[in-house]
Amino acid sequence: MIAHKQGGLTFFTPETIDGASGHFFDTGISAGFPSPADDFKEQRLSLDEELVKNKEATFYARVSGQSMIGAGLDDNDLLVIDRSLEPENNRIAVCFLDGEFTVKRLRVTKDEVWLQPENPNYPIINITEENNFLIWGIVTNVIKKV
């Protein structure tokens, strides 16, 4: 992957590697009582096929900060961003605002756009005509380390 940092996010351009896939067990993994191992059917799974719907318009970015922890986006998580999706109210978007990238929940009314953090310690941002503002892409998935 090729990486470049802009504002509070580090962006990555996805590379597809032919034949790269991990093992996938078709049966769900129980969070209760264990299931006998011979009940699992092993298949191959490509995360690109699961997470990327439009390869030419998909990018990854690493979260920096705590403003979206209420939405499950923690510092250092990896976002999957699709630039081909239409921005809509309540979607989580990567936006370019006054020279920096930020990730926030979109609040769209007939006349206004707001960027809402998912942490009460951060202010809601009202977008005005004075702002240099662009909705860069829509977050479709988050990849976390455990």
Side-chain angles (χ1 to χ4, degrees):
M1 283 189 203
I2 300 168
H4 64 280
K5 188 165 180 86
Q6 293 189 349
L9 298 173
T10 303
F11 289 89
F12 301 89
T13 305
E15 287 181 25
T16 302
I17 301 170
D18 290 333
S21 59
H23 293 283
F24 173 65
F25 296 98
D26 193 27
T27 306
I29 303 296
S30 174
F33 293 104
S35 175
D38 58 2
D39 287 345
F40 290 105
K41 288 192 317 187
E42 184 179 331
Q43 300 176 12
R44 299 297 282 178
L45 173 76
S46 165
L47 289 180
D48 282 346
E49 290 177 17
E50 288 293 316
L51 302 178
V52 177
K53 302 304 178 210
N54 187 343
K55 184 175 133 183
E56 291 76 28
T58 299
F59 293 84
Y60 302 99
R62 195 164 301 281
V63 175
S64 176
Q66 299 292 321
S67 72
M68 293 299 287
I69 59 173
L73 307 183
D74 297 308
D75 191 48
N76 222 23
D77 283 351
L78 191 62
L79 304 177
V80 181
I81 305 157
D82 189 334
R83 295 193 70 196
S84 70
L85 296 176
E86 289 292 322
E88 295 176 3
N89 186 52
N90 208 35
R91 285 196 165 175
I92 296 176
V94 172
C95 302
F96 187 74
L97 176 63
D98 297 332
E100 294 203 13
F101 281 96
T102 187
V103 59
K104 299 286 183 280
R105 187 171 301 280
L106 294 175
R107 295 296 182 203
V108 181
T109 65
K110 181 180 175 188
D111 301 320
E112 293 185 301
V113 174
W114 299 79
L115 300 181
Q116 180 177 334
E118 295 283 341
N119 182 334
N121 296 326
Y122 291 79
I124 296 174
I125 302 166
N126 182 16
I127 303 302
T128 67
E129 290 183 10
E130 287 79 42
N131 292 112
N132 179 8
F133 177 71
L134 171 72
I135 298 173
W136 195 80
I138 301 299
V139 176
T140 58
N141 293 282
V142 61
I143 301 170
K144 298 180 148 308
K145 289 185 181 180
V146 294

